[in-house]
Amino acid sequence: MRLESPEAVLEYILLNAHGTPQPSSGQAYNSDDHKRRVQMWFHGHLADDFDYSNLFMINMILRDEERSERKLEIPTARIIEDDAYIYMHDALLSFIRESDGIWKLRIALSMCWGCFGNHSFQSGQCWGVLCQCCGGTGWEGDTLEFCMSHEPPIDPERIVETPSPRAAFIQLQKRQILMLAPLRDQKDIDVTPALIRDDVAKIEVTTPLTRYLALMRNISEDQWQLNAFAPLCAVCGGEGRDPVERTMPCSACGGLKWGQAGELRYCRHTNSEWWTLDGSYL
């Protein structure tokens, strides 16, 4: 049984990236046969939901390493439960530990060049708005998403029937549900338009004290449930990097910038649609 560390898995992938099989003539890059050959080449070190377009980032990291003309050095991973995160050359590398204890690479993405990793804009408009290029994650790629470490069950207390996730959030705020207790007695609360894609909606909430991320899911037609409500990390200020060990993801939030480590995780969203702003507010 292989029990390599995330660092060892990344080192193996980088050392073998030059010989990565290319699609056969007339074969699609994301075809099942090509994925199978690439997976075999990397000795099964790629997760089942790995997006094979992310190999471009692996090649960019390898190119930067070769230009430095020094021995390959893999940064230390930040391990949180069954997830591990490594920052390398302005890229995010995310790993998952499967049930047999084996670590596999899931994500390899560069910093978002729309928000430069800041995940939201605080100027140019009357409100801060989560970046539409990356959906507020701070990383390139239209398949990367936030999700709960453990998907919550359907809870009628956190569901509102309305086409607008922003309107649903405001109704939940008025109900003073337990999840939104940090907003009680707060003044000057600003609720941004929701970023929506398929069944996912994200809202940034600003108070005089801090900012929050509200993560909502469409349960059924015109029914939105609030799944998560997390404050901007007070330790890294939402930057994602550890204030002391700058090459590592923040230990407090795990690098995800919101909430506590392990509360949220990165996951894949296979919908091909791009992020749109909640039109009911504009």
Side-chain angles (χ1 to χ4, degrees):
M1 179 184 296
R2 301 193 313 272
L3 293 173
E4 298 103 321
S5 66
E7 295 90 341
V9 169
L10 179 57
E11 182 177 29
Y12 182 92
I13 290 173
L14 289 172
L15 290 175
N16 289 275
H18 275 313
T20 305
Q22 297 301 308
S24 303
S25 178
Q27 185 183 58
Y29 190 82
N30 61 349
S31 67
D32 291 340
D33 181 63
H34 178 61
K35 289 180 179 179
R36 179 184 57 80
R37 292 193 297 119
V38 173
Q39 181 71 279
M40 290 177 62
W41 178 261
F42 287 116
H43 202 54
H45 282 312
L46 303 179
D48 290 340
D49 62 347
F50 181 78
D51 185 336
Y52 284 73
S53 66
N54 285 188
L55 290 173
F56 173 80
M57 195 66 239
I58 294 295
N59 290 325
M60 292 298 98
I61 293 172
L62 183 60
R63 183 198 64 181
D64 290 343
E65 280 293 305
E66 290 175 340
R67 285 179 175 176
S68 67
E69 297 182 351
R70 62 173 182 262
K71 181 181 177 180
L72 180 63
E73 296 182 4
I74 305 298
T76 303
R78 178 73 71 193
I79 298 177
I80 301 169
E81 298 179 355
D82 290 324
D83 294 311
Y85 307 107
I86 293 176
Y87 292 159
M88 191 172 185
H89 294 286
D90 290 323
L92 165 71
L93 299 131
S94 173
F95 303 78
I96 186 170
R97 178 165 47 198
E98 300 192 338
S99 57
D100 53 7
I102 297 174
W103 287 101
K104 293 187 178 183
L105 178 66
R106 296 183 66 228
I107 295 161
L109 293 172
S110 67
M111 175 183 69
C112 174
W113 294 103
C115 64
F116 296 100
N118 185 46
H119 68 263
S120 63
F121 297 101
Q122 291 294 308
S123 62
Q125 300 186 67
C126 299
W127 51 74
V129 179
L130 292 169
C131 177
Q132 286 182 259
C133 296
C134 64
T137 64
W139 303 101
E140 289 282 2
D142 60 354
T143 64
L144 186 65
E145 188 48 270
F146 289 129
C147 61
M148 300 288 290
S149 293
H150 306 285
E151 193 68 17
I154 294 177
D155 182 354
E157 184 191 41
R158 294 183 281 115
I159 295 176
V160 173
E161 187 168 351
T162 173
S164 167
R166 182 179 185 274
F169 179 87
I170 291 174
Q171 287 192 44
L172 292 171
Q173 181 188 348
K174 291 178 179 178
R175 288 183 194 171
Q176 296 189 342
I177 64 170
L178 182 61
M179 186 180 288
L180 299 182
L183 299 182
R184 292 176 187 172
D185 302 322
Q186 289 283 337
K187 305 296 183 182
D188 301 322
I189 298 174
D190 182 48
V191 181
T192 70
L195 278 185
I196 305 173
R197 180 173 62 175
D198 194 28
D199 63 341
V200 179
K202 288 180 285 191
I203 296 169
E204 189 169 9
V205 181
T206 304
T207 73
L209 299 177
T210 188
R211 289 147 58 192
Y212 297 86
L213 172 71
L215 180 63
M216 307 189 75
R217 293 281 180 178
N218 187 244
I219 303 302
S220 62
E221 186 175 0
D222 292 345
Q223 282 193 326
W224 290 94
Q225 173 169 290
L226 178 63
N227 277 5
F229 187 65
L232 196 69
C233 178
V235 174
C236 68
E239 185 181 357
R241 294 184 181 273
D242 191 285
V244 178
E245 300 292 338
R246 298 292 296 167
T247 60
M248 291 186 68
C250 174
S251 60
C253 64
L256 279 79
K257 307 174 182 180
W258 304 96
Q260 298 179 350
E263 184 177 356
L264 297 175
R265 70 188 305 191
Y266 292 119
C267 56
R268 293 289 189 184
H269 192 290
T270 57
N271 190 288
S272 60
E273 297 295 325
W274 208 249
W275 289 101
T276 59
L277 283 174
D278 185 351
S280 65
Y281 182 68
L282 302 180

